[in-house]
Amino acid sequence: MTLTTPVSNSENRGAASALAAPRSLMLIAAVFVLFAIAMVWISAYQIMAAAEPGWAVTMNAVAALLALAALTLLIPVARAAMHSKSASASIASGDAVAARASISRARVQSWTAISVAIPFLVVAAFVGVLTANDHAVQRVFFDPEFMWKTLGDIGIAFGRNIGIALAAEAIVLVLGLLLAIGRLLPGPAARPVRFLSIAYVDGFRAIPAIIIIYLIGFGLPLSEIPVLSEIGPFWSAVLALGLTHAAYAAEVYRSGIESIHHSQTSAARSLGLSYPKTLRFVIVPQAVRRVLPPMLNSFIGLQKDTALVMVIGVVEAFTQATTYASRYFNLSSVTVVAILFILITIPQTRLVDQLISRDRRRSSAKG
């Protein structure tokens, strides 16, 4: 005698709904995509209508590419429809496994269409802001002719930003490591050194960088200290940023050194290495590899802080841009500075991400 378990109507409805094609989600995705395409096409028309005579060809090409790119949003919607049709056919034939696979693919493609449409809507909104109020925002912040006109002088001044950042980073790497080592020196004899290192790090991290720049940039010439009072604004800026960011680098170094297991130090000392040699040949090389990603992040912050040196008269990119802005009552030159900082910062950020991913892969392989 075979016993069968009765299946309720609610269970049948639940099973049927689980195998139902996601038509509602597809409809939402299709409407969302069509709305995004319409907004992008309107934005493309606004771009072509606002194009200056000298930039008409370029702007028309950009608008055409944007309009064509928006049509690619239809691809995931079409794929979702194909998978939904396949799911319906599988349901009709009683193949539940194939139906579930097709339904899953249809849902993924529907959500893909929605997520890809969002950046296009952001671009359309950005274009709408630029073209609002008779293109007032675009003329003030993104005037192509004015940006091109000021690019040369701002680019030359931006080279000073790079020079200040590189020179200051040399001070940061050396002084930061010395401060970290001084803070970690063992024994009661090193207590004064530890106290001075902690006081330096806490003090310079507490004072805003612009105050340090101002004090050094104007204080050294007024104090008439031999050599230091004659280094000029450029090297005063380098010194101020180097001293400030060395405090932050010291903490990064310290975290890296402390992350090395104490057994490394014990093994090195048992082999007869002195504490300085243990640091030099065993601990510090490992710590430097570990702190390389956060140190690069600190360098990015140092690069951005070079804009603060304008307070002591260094003609860097931001100073040059504000000169043009005050002369012509247009902030497009400042936008050029922002773009230049973006161009040098984003590659470094991606490099940091790659280094972090590499360290994770190494850790996983060792584990």
Side-chain angles (χ1 to χ4, degrees):
M1 181 177 181
T2 303
L3 297 177
T4 59
T5 303
V7 179
S8 64
N9 292 331
S10 60
E11 291 176 343
N12 286 330
R13 286 194 298 270
S17 62
L19 291 177
R23 293 187 178 87
S24 299
L25 180 60
M26 288 173 48
L27 179 61
I28 294 173
V31 172
F32 196 79
V33 163
L34 291 176
F35 175 73
I37 292 174
M39 295 302 297
V40 170
W41 282 15
I42 292 173
S43 300
Y45 174 77
Q46 291 174 336
I47 291 174
M48 290 186 291
E52 299 289 339
W55 296 83
V57 176
T58 302
M59 301 306 290
N60 289 340
V62 170
L65 289 175
L66 184 61
L68 291 175
L71 294 177
T72 60
L73 296 174
L74 296 173
I75 295 176
V77 174
R79 289 175 178 172
M82 292 174 57
H83 291 307
S84 178
K85 183 178 180 181
S86 176
S88 300
S90 299
I91 292 173
S93 63
D95 190 349
V97 175
R100 291 180 184 276
S102 297
I103 290 171
S104 177
R105 296 190 189 100
R107 287 174 178 161
V108 169
Q109 291 297 326
S110 297
W111 283 115
T112 300
I114 293 173
S115 63
V116 174
I118 292 175
F120 282 93
L121 286 175
V122 172
V123 172
F126 179 70
V127 173
V129 171
L130 292 182
T131 57
N133 195 19
D134 193 21
H135 307 281
V137 175
Q138 182 265 324
R139 285 195 300 270
V140 172
F141 294 98
F142 297 94
D143 187 341
E145 291 186 1
F146 191 67
M147 294 172 71
W148 182 256
K149 176 182 177 180
T150 60
L151 178 61
D153 291 338
I154 293 177
I156 294 173
F158 189 70
R160 296 189 186 95
N161 291 81
I162 301 300
I164 292 172
L166 293 176
E169 185 65 15
I171 298 175
V172 167
L173 293 176
V174 176
L175 181 57
L177 180 59
L178 293 176
L179 289 169
I181 293 174
R183 185 168 182 174
L184 295 174
L185 288 177
R191 186 175 292 113
V193 178
R194 292 197 299 270
F195 174 78
L196 290 176
S197 298
I198 293 172
Y200 181 98
V201 171
D202 290 347
F204 274 89
R205 290 171 68 191
I207 304 173
I210 193 169
I211 295 178
I212 302 297
I213 294 170
Y214 191 89
L215 290 175
I216 291 178
F218 291 110
L220 291 181
L222 291 175
S223 61
E224 298 182 355
I225 301 175
V227 181
L228 290 179
S229 62
E230 300 175 359
I231 61 177
F234 180 89
W235 290 107
S236 295
V238 170
L239 181 61
L241 290 175
L243 294 176
T244 301
H245 282 266
Y248 297 94
E251 290 299 284
V252 176
Y253 276 126
R254 184 170 68 91
S255 65
I257 293 173
E258 290 181 337
S259 69
I260 305 301
H261 199 270
H262 61 83
S263 61
Q264 299 279 329
T265 302
S266 301
R269 297 304 298 274
S270 66
L271 293 174
L273 293 179
S274 63
Y275 184 76
K277 288 185 177 180
T278 299
L279 285 176
R280 178 183 175 185
F281 296 110
V282 179
I283 304 301
V284 171
Q286 297 182 69
V288 168
R289 286 195 295 269
R290 292 189 178 185
V291 303
L292 192 57
M295 198 64 74
L296 283 174
N297 276 327
S298 176
F299 181 57
I300 292 172
L302 172 59
Q303 288 176 343
K304 294 187 293 184
D305 281 351
T306 57
L308 300 175
V309 303
M310 66 175 297
V311 299
I312 59 174
V314 179
V315 183
E316 43 75 52
F318 184 60
T319 306
Q320 189 68 57
T322 54
T323 301
Y324 277 111
S326 60
R327 184 182 304 171
Y328 295 98
F329 301 99
N330 192 296
L331 298 181
S332 298
S333 57
V334 182
T335 303
V336 173
V337 180
I339 293 173
L340 291 175
F341 273 108
I342 290 172
L343 290 177
I344 68 167
T345 300
I346 289 181
Q348 295 176 69
T349 305
R350 298 285 76 80
L351 176 60
V352 170
D353 293 341
Q354 291 180 5
L355 292 174
I356 293 175
S357 300
R358 187 188 65 181
D359 290 342
R360 287 176 179 173
R361 289 195 297 270
R362 286 180 177 178
S363 300
S364 300
K366 291 180 181 179

